[in-house]
Amino acid sequence: DAKTTQPPSMDCAEGRAANLPCNHSTISGNEYVYWYRQIHSQGPQYIIHGLKNNETNEMASLIITEDRKSSTLILPHATLRDTAVYYCIVSLVYGQNFVFGPGTRLSVLP
Amino acid sequence: DTGVSQDPRHKITKRGQNVTFRCDPISEHNRLYWYRQTLGQGPEFLTYFQNEAQLEKSRLLSDRFSAERPKGSFSTLEIQRTEQGDSAMYLCASSLVSGDNQPQHFGDGTRLSIL
């Protein structure tokens, strides 16, 4: 079973920030939080990952709570092309086989 | 394109036939994974290789499934005597296990349809 819980779906207006939550209350100290997204008929695309500190790259920001029991992926200015299923995964160092949940289907609306 | 490459992208076959898929990982990635994804679900882990060694197999990988990575580069996944339930997207991913943590990078998969 997946070690994460995500809302099944979310909507976001184009140009606004999309904030996707993820609960991982049983995360262990050496497990990373990874975020991927999957656009229809493509493979999952890596977005970002982190251990304890907040992380930012050209695609998104990852905010991890101090107790590490939850995190939020932030897409700062959502576009229509960000419409996808977003997966939050926790995994050990060196990325052992991922256990995917059903993810969050994000719809960016014009 | 230096990403993970999978071939073919689509495969349609009759029940009972054998099929083989190929995955070419990102160059120098030493770990290679196979996943299966059915409609509306997240990918499910099947097996992974570290170089040419197959280190873990999921209980989903029945005896009709076999995977190889003979030279530690490309990999093949074969399904013998295909069944209707084998219809799915088969995804390959690769990663570099090194001193720092590296994510898995996925290909766009092979979609298998069993008639």
Side-chain angles (χ1 to χ4, degrees):
Chain A
D1 291 345
K3 298 181 67 174
T4 61
T5 305
Q6 300 176 253
S9 64
M10 292 181 63
D11 292 339
C12 176
E14 188 179 17
R16 305 296 291 268
N19 297 283
L20 292 91
C22 179
N23 287 322
H24 32 79
S25 58
T26 60
I27 192 170
S28 61
N30 56 353
E31 287 184 314
Y32 280 70
V33 179
Y34 292 82
W35 283 84
Y36 284 75
R37 72 181 183 185
Q38 189 171 27
I39 298 169
H40 182 62
S41 79
Q42 296 181 14
Q45 177 191 23
Y46 167 74
I47 301 173
I48 199 167
H49 74 283
L51 182 62
K52 296 180 182 178
N53 301 321
N54 298 337
E55 301 287 344
T56 296
N57 63 20
E58 66 279 3
M59 290 183 68
S61 295
L62 173 61
I63 308 298
I64 303 174
T65 58
E66 192 170 344
D67 63 8
R68 302 208 325 122
K69 292 185 177 182
S70 66
S71 61
T72 301
L73 179 75
I74 301 172
L75 307 178
H77 305 287
T79 71
L80 299 179
R81 289 184 296 179
D82 292 322
T83 292
V85 177
Y86 287 76
Y87 297 102
C88 169
I89 304 158
V90 296
S91 184
L92 292 170
V93 178
Y94 303 131
Q96 288 185 328
N97 47 291
F98 287 156
V99 179
F100 287 80
T104 295
R105 182 171 298 279
L106 175 69
S107 298
V108 180
L109 307 175
Chain B
D1 185 10
T2 57
V4 177
S5 176
Q6 293 190 245
D7 183 70
R9 288 296 313 278
H10 304 275
K11 179 71 176 178
I12 301 173
T13 192
K14 294 181 179 179
R15 188 179 55 181
Q17 297 295 304
N18 299 342
V19 294
T20 300
F21 312 138
R22 177 180 170 119
C23 172
D24 286 273
I26 293 172
S27 179
E28 298 182 355
H29 275 194
N30 48 11
R31 196 168 276 192
L32 186 148
Y33 308 78
W34 285 99
Y35 292 81
R36 182 177 72 181
Q37 185 174 25
T38 53
L39 204 59
Q41 304 296 316
E44 297 173 290
F45 168 76
L46 292 177
T47 187
Y48 87 88
F49 294 82
Q50 174 98 2
N51 299 312
E52 65 273 11
Q54 189 172 16
L55 296 187
E56 186 173 348
K57 292 192 284 188
S58 161
R59 58 177 174 76
L60 293 176
L61 209 68
S62 76
D63 56 6
R64 296 185 298 106
F65 288 68
S66 62
E68 295 183 341
R69 194 183 184 198
K71 298 183 179 179
S73 56
F74 74 92
S75 175
T76 58
L77 177 68
E78 180 183 16
I79 309 174
Q80 295 182 326
R81 306 180 303 282
T82 52
E83 301 173 355
Q84 291 277 345
D86 296 333
S87 293
M89 174 81 84
Y90 290 85
L91 293 160
C92 176
S94 69
S95 68
L96 177 64
V97 176
S98 62
D100 60 343
N101 195 47
Q102 294 292 322
Q104 296 178 31
H105 295 275
F106 285 80
D108 283 336
T110 293
R111 181 167 296 283
L112 175 65
S113 298
I114 306 297
L115 301 178

